[in-house]
Amino acid sequence: MKVVVQRVSKASVTIDDRKVADIGSGLLVLLGIINEDTQEDIKWLSNKVANLRVFGDENGVMNKSLIDMNGDAIVVSQFTLHALTKKGNRPSYIKAAKPDVAIPLYKAFVKQLEIDLGKNVQTGEFGADMKIELLNDGPVTIIIDSKNKE
């Protein structure tokens, strides 16, 4: 399981001209899932995202987490995070989990993040053509892979 975490001043997700998610200060989390991902990956990665210290404290040092800031989050499924680009110029998505595996894991990740944060997490819509608008704050963009814990 892989995420791209972006600290945002605001972010939103629109599908067919309908805004389905909209937050102020918080994190936009793009989530990629592979077949080998498990509940252990979900718990580890959700905890990491919730506690990632990327928000400034009173001295401007990135020392506060989303929990500390009581910030909001949007989680968007993005199978392209597992693209293979070694051969040729056309990405291969063979590593990305198919919907029958990915959807339950995606929903479980969102639910676990809600538990970790103690609040609702907004989402995109799995498999939809989404338009994501964000104001990256910093910019702060971090990639975390549950298969690279060490």
Side-chain angles (χ1 to χ4, degrees):
M1 196 167 277
K2 185 184 291 186
V3 292
V4 172
V5 178
Q6 294 180 298
R7 185 178 76 183
V8 298
S9 297
K10 63 180 180 176
S12 64
V13 178
T14 302
I15 302 170
D16 296 329
D17 296 322
R18 180 178 50 94
K19 196 172 280 192
V20 298
D22 191 16
I23 64 169
S25 181
L27 297 176
L28 173 64
V29 181
L30 306 175
L31 174 67
I33 299 167
I34 60 174
N35 287 322
E36 294 78 20
D37 288 330
T38 66
Q39 189 64 34
E40 181 182 323
D41 294 293
I42 290 167
K43 286 183 179 180
W44 182 85
L45 197 53
S46 173
N47 181 65
K48 185 65 85 171
V49 168
N51 290 287
L52 195 62
R53 296 181 348 186
V54 294
F55 294 93
D57 63 14
E58 52 281 347
N59 298 315
V61 177
M62 286 196 288
N63 206 23
K64 291 192 173 189
S65 70
L66 191 59
I67 293 171
D68 298 329
M69 298 300 296
N70 194 30
D72 294 315
I74 297 176
V75 177
V76 175
S77 174
Q78 189 168 355
F79 73 94
T80 60
L81 291 181
H82 290 288
L84 300 174
T85 58
K86 195 171 187 176
K87 288 176 53 180
N89 293 316
R90 183 180 179 151
S92 169
Y93 304 110
I94 194 82
K95 285 186 68 177
K98 301 285 187 256
D100 61 321
V101 171
I103 292 172
L105 291 173
Y106 169 73
K107 289 179 179 179
F109 178 84
V110 171
K111 186 168 187 63
Q112 184 63 53
L113 189 56
E114 288 179 333
I115 291 168
D116 290 344
L117 294 175
K119 66 188 323 183
N120 288 336
V121 170
Q122 296 187 47
T123 66
E125 184 179 308
F126 191 94
D129 181 17
M130 295 175 272
K131 306 302 180 212
I132 300 172
E133 196 170 354
L134 68 133
L135 181 56
N136 193 316
D137 182 14
V140 175
T141 302
I142 297 174
I143 300 168
I144 308 170
D145 190 332
S146 65
K147 303 303 188 223
N148 294 324
K149 295 178 190 168
E150 298 169 10

